[in-house]
């Protein structure tokens, strides 16, 4: 097949930047990485990019295609070429470019190291001196986070990192959850404290681009939500973001709606809210906010309240609630049949279905 590509070339020593066109002959099964190899071997040996495994496991070949991060070795070119599209290939975002498609991964690794990506000692060892067995149900909590290959595609697309380069970012936070949820780690609460500090979980804007672009299904935004839920469960809720999240829960439970008028005082405190009175009055004047008193209650608020009761009754607060939600989604997508539960019928939590009144 004929493949046409546009590649952003960059030379960090001269600052020279140029969009170059390439047209190559490639086998039908070629990936983007194969195409770059052909460009380098047959057309322009000066092109720089990273690669190693060519099988989606080393995480070296992250780059952007048409502005969105991809693993080059996972991206088939056949359909793109057949449609006559000419994709634009560029280096990943949020990391300094060294040359062409190669970025400096040092800031990425600094954040990775900052979350202490190794087990903190101190857990109870089995009395028989043998290995520590962890039940599969327990490992399910961190199954997705353990799939991360450190490719940086999520970091490339993170808009919170664009506004605050110090933000720990989706990869480091997903790795943080991998250890927060590991029953052998003896520093869960200390980790939650650190991950809840400035530049931590509450700086995430919930844009979900990291979930969208991760090539391994890690879903870093979900990992951040799990850390947030577990922090609140442990009483680590000093940050405005935590207070904000708690008010969402409280107002949805009581009215089935977000009680926005009370959101600012509940999140930021009364003193800070009074300072923003002028802004609030302006919003009201322009019909952008209203004072609803008594608060409007949704018609089916009983369902929201029943769900809250169920979560508490089952002890599914913190990350366990998220994991149950993930499993329920899977079951709803693929049909519910508890005879297929791996540890016997009912060994996985039954999904909550809205029509069932608790
Ligand atoms: S959801 Fe949060 S961590 Fe993920 S890309 Fe958006 S801002 Fe970054
Ligand atoms: S979370 Fe996904 S996108 Fe981010 S570094 Fe890990 S594998 Fe790559
Ligand atoms: S070359 Fe290893 S993930 Fe693409």
């Amino acid at each position: 097949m004929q493949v046409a590509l546009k590649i952003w070339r960059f030379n960090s020593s001269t600052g020279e930047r140029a969009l170059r066109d390439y047209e190559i002959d490639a086998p039908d099964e070629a990936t983007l990485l194969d195409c770059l190899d052909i460009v380098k071997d047959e057309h322009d040996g000066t092109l720089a990019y990273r690669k190693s495994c060519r099988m989606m496991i080393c995480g070296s070949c992250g780059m952007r295609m048409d502005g969105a991060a991809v693993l080059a070795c996972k991206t088939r070119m056949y359909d793109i070429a057949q449609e006559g599209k000419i994709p634009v290939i560029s280096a990943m975002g949020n990391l300094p470019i060294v040359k062409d498609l190669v970025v400096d991964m040092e800031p990425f690794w600094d954040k990775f190291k900052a979350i202490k990506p190794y087990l903190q000692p101190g857990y109870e060892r089995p009395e028989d001196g043998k290995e520590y067995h962890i039940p599969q149900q327990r490992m399910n909590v961190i199954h997705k986070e353990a799939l991360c290959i450190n490719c940086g595609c999520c970091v490339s697309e993170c808009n919170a990192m664009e506004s605050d380069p110090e933000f720990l970012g989706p990869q480091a936070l997903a790795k943080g959850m991998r250890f927060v949820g590991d029953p052998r780690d003896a520093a869960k609460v200390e980790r939650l404290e650190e991950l809840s500090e400035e530049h931590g979980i509450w700086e995430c804007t919930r844009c979900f681009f990291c979930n969208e672009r991760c090539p391994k299904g890690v879903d870093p935004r979900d990992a951040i939500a799990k850390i947030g839920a577990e922090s609140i469960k442990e009483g680590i809720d000093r940050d405005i973001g935590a207070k904000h999240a708690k008010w969402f829960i409280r107002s949805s439970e009581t009215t089935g709606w977000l009680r926005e008028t009370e959101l600012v005082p509940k999140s930021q405190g009364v003193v800070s809210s009074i300072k923003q009175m002028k802004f609030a009055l302006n919003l009201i004047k322009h019909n952008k906010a209203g004072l609803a008193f008594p608060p409007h209650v949704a018609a089916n608020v009983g369902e929201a309240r029943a769900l809250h009761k169920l979560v508490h009754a089952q002890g599914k607060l913190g990350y366990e609630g998220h994991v149950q939600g993930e499993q329920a989604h899977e079951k709803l997508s693929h049909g519910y049949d508890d005879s297929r539960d791996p540890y016997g019928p009912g060994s996985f939590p039954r999904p909550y279905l809205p029509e069932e009144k608790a």
Side-chain angles (χ1 to χ4, degrees):
M1 63 179 170
Q2 287 295 303
V3 180
L5 297 171
K6 287 179 183 288
I7 304 178
W8 272 109
R9 306 293 304 270
F10 178 70
N11 184 335
S12 62
S13 45
T14 62
E16 191 191 334
R17 195 162 187 261
L19 186 61
R20 298 259 161 78
D21 291 282
Y22 298 92
E23 191 143 352
I24 57 166
D25 192 18
D28 285 354
E29 67 276 13
T31 62
L32 172 58
L33 184 59
D34 296 326
C35 292
L36 294 176
D37 283 344
I38 293 169
V39 169
K40 190 169 176 73
D41 289 348
E42 299 175 14
H43 299 262
D44 187 347
T46 65
L47 178 66
Y49 53 96
R50 284 204 182 96
K51 65 167 185 175
S52 181
C53 69
R54 301 191 304 161
M55 53 193 293
M56 298 169 267
I57 196 61
C58 74
S60 303
C61 67
M63 57 189 70
R64 272 178 167 166
M65 176 188 268
D66 289 334
V70 294
L71 273 188
C73 67
K74 191 184 175 188
T75 307
R76 292 258 174 230
M77 297 301 288
Y78 184 79
D79 288 345
I80 295 168
Q82 294 310 304
E83 287 168 24
K85 288 186 186 157
I86 306 177
V88 177
I89 314 302
S90 55
M92 286 198 292
N94 283 330
L95 292 163
I97 304 174
V98 179
K99 185 174 190 299
D100 299 336
L101 307 176
V102 175
V103 290
D104 178 4
M105 294 291 280
E106 206 55 40
F108 177 94
W109 295 119
D110 285 347
K111 287 172 185 174
F112 179 71
K113 284 182 230 163
I115 62 98
K116 302 189 189 87
Y118 35 83
L119 286 174
Q120 297 294 316
Y123 58 84
E124 279 179 28
R125 289 170 185 275
E127 281 176 11
D128 60 8
K130 293 190 178 161
E131 72 268 38
Y132 189 113
H133 284 291
I134 306 177
Q136 185 59 46
Q137 287 102 320
R138 198 62 191 71
M139 288 310 282
N140 288 343
V141 169
I142 51 171
H143 170 70
K144 288 201 299 182
E145 290 77 8
L147 297 174
C148 175
I149 57 169
N150 307 324
C151 64
C153 288
C154 54
V155 164
S156 167
E157 306 311 301
C158 177
N159 61 37
M161 294 183 93
E162 270 180 50
S163 56
D164 174 17
E166 299 286 302
F167 173 46
L168 276 171
Q171 190 275 342
L173 291 171
K175 192 61 75 178
M177 179 56 213
R178 188 253 168 270
F179 290 97
V180 162
D182 193 313
R184 296 164 299 175
D185 192 86
K188 184 180 96 171
V189 173
E190 291 84 346
R191 285 184 186 277
L192 291 173
E193 289 276 7
E194 283 173 21
L195 297 174
S196 297
E197 282 173 5
E198 196 186 3
H199 311 306
I201 51 170
W202 300 111
E203 274 189 28
C204 165
T205 62
R206 305 172 180 85
C207 71
F208 282 85
F209 285 167
C210 51
N211 278 18
E212 189 186 297
R213 298 317 311 169
C214 173
K216 301 302 278 188
V218 173
D219 291 339
R221 170 55 221 165
D222 296 12
I224 295 169
K226 288 184 202 170
I227 298 171
E230 195 67 14
S231 300
I232 291 174
K233 180 184 158 194
E234 296 288 345
I236 304 165
D237 57 5
R238 289 183 300 278
D239 193 278
I240 289 177
K243 293 189 169 73
H244 193 90
K246 281 175 78 175
W247 185 246
F248 267 69
I249 298 166
R250 180 72 187 141
S251 59
S252 68
E253 180 189 7
T254 48
T255 63
W257 300 99
L258 172 60
R259 289 156 59 181
E260 246 174 310
T261 322
E262 295 149 85
L263 190 59
V264 176
K266 293 290 180 191
S267 309
Q268 300 190 12
V270 178
V271 177
S272 166
S273 307
I274 289 171
K275 286 185 191 159
Q276 296 181 43
M277 241 8 208
K278 195 174 159 200
F279 179 60
L281 289 171
N282 255 331
L283 286 178
I284 293 169
K285 193 171 138 198
H286 291 94
N287 259 346
K288 299 289 183 193
L291 294 170
F293 190 81
H296 177 52
V297 177
N300 294 325
V301 69
E303 284 185 7
R305 290 178 185 166
L307 187 55
H308 278 266
K309 271 193 200 147
L310 197 68
V311 167
H312 282 267
Q314 292 186 351
K316 297 291 181 189
L317 299 172
Y319 56 61
E320 281 196 66
H322 279 264
V323 174
Q324 184 185 33
E326 280 168 6
Q327 290 168 351
H329 257 124
E330 286 300 305
K331 285 178 185 287
L332 290 171
S333 310
H334 301 294
Y336 184 67
D337 173 9
D338 71 0
S339 67
R340 286 160 47 205
D341 282 357
Y343 306 99
S347 60
F348 271 17
R350 194 155 187 273
Y352 172 80
L353 301 171
E355 62 270 18
E356 292 176 359
K357 299 274 186 274

